[in-house]
Amino acid sequence: MPCLPVFVINLDRRPDRLATISGDLDRLGLPFERVAAIDARRLPPGDRADRNPLFRAGSKACMLSHGEALRRFLATGCGTAMILEDDAELASDLPTICRSADWWPAGTGLIKLERPNSNRSLQGPRCGRTPGGRELRRIVRWNAGSAGYLIDRAAAGLFLSAFEGASVSTDRMLFDKHMSEAARRVRPVQVNPALVQQRDTESDIQPTKLSISRRHKQWHQLRRRSIPYQMLLLWWQLTGRARREYVRYSERPEGGMTG
């Protein structure tokens, strides 16, 4: 198997999660390197009081943790890497995608392995398949979650720079082409059925969230969105290039999908 390092982001206070994902990766024959996650509880008070509903203390801690994983990757001589959060559940055929990058769609620097944490999401045109037969689709609208993805060196460097002045969450920076110029440049792709899903619905990196009104959050989202891109997405839906569909997690590449 070629050099494809696996980095697992894990909080010091969650050895239980580390033990679980260690067992899963050992079973799959995938060695990994642990990256100590930044704990939002230990950030300065100013970070914990951020009024931006898209970038609270938990969001900053998560991004700092992913940034450290990307730096570790760039310190290697490898061309691609896998980044996992410690609550990731892994499909049994995950090792098949680690043997080569020849199957990556042209022009793609980021491949999302995780099931989005929303019921249905807008998926773009088909652009290939994984070695195990899972479908690949262009991500054209925000695809929530950052528990598992593949990334190449160029994209890792681009996101490290983008993280410096970020004011949106890690998953928006990686997969939201409305709000992230870096995401538009790397052209991220979704694996369907997904190879990864989060075991827990709430990130343990985040402290208790402050109350955020729905209108306040929507205002922050809308003011960053591009009207021309919204029109393009509408055109793609009308012409069938993009469609809303469920992206589920499955232990097997075809059939037997679980919710």
Side-chain angles (χ1 to χ4, degrees), residues 193-257:
L195 285 151
V196 171
Q197 70 174 352
Q198 285 187 309
R199 296 181 187 276
D200 301 327
T201 56
E202 186 72 18
S203 171
D204 202 41
I205 293 176
Q206 300 189 32
T208 302
K209 294 181 179 179
L210 299 177
S211 176
I212 305 170
S213 73
R214 185 174 181 180
R215 181 171 296 181
H216 187 201
K217 187 172 183 179
Q218 287 176 339
W219 179 80
H220 275 269
Q221 293 171 350
L222 289 172
R223 74 190 184 96
R224 289 175 168 84
R225 291 189 172 175
S226 161
I227 298 300
Y229 192 73
Q230 293 280 355
M231 298 302 294
L232 177 62
L233 290 182
L234 177 60
W235 172 249
W236 281 2
Q237 290 181 76
L238 292 174
T239 58
R241 292 190 64 194
R243 67 185 187 188
R244 288 195 174 277
E245 63 180 28
Y246 291 98
V247 177
R248 302 187 186 275
Y249 167 79
S250 173
E251 260 294 303
R252 296 182 296 277
E254 295 182 15
M257 291 190 299

Side-chain angles (χ1 to χ4, degrees), residues 2-5 73-82 101 104 108-110 150-157:
C3 179
L4 190 153
F73 160 43
L74 291 176
T76 72
C78 302
T80 58
M82 183 187 299
W104 285 40
T108 294
L110 180 64
L150 297 174
I151 191 166
D152 68 14
R153 295 186 68 83

Side-chain angles (χ1 to χ4, degrees), residues 8-19 21 34-42 58 61-62 65 84-87 202-207:
V8 173
I9 299 169
N10 167 251
L11 280 166
D12 291 340
R13 57 185 167 86
R14 292 308 304 263
D16 55 324
R17 286 189 175 184
L18 182 61
I21 197 167
R34 177 182 179 267
V35 176
I38 305 300
D39 196 332
R41 298 175 183 178
R42 299 187 177 183
C62 182
S65 302
L84 298 171
E85 295 176 356
D86 62 4
D87 58 351
E202 186 72 18
S203 171
D204 202 41
I205 293 176
Q206 300 189 32

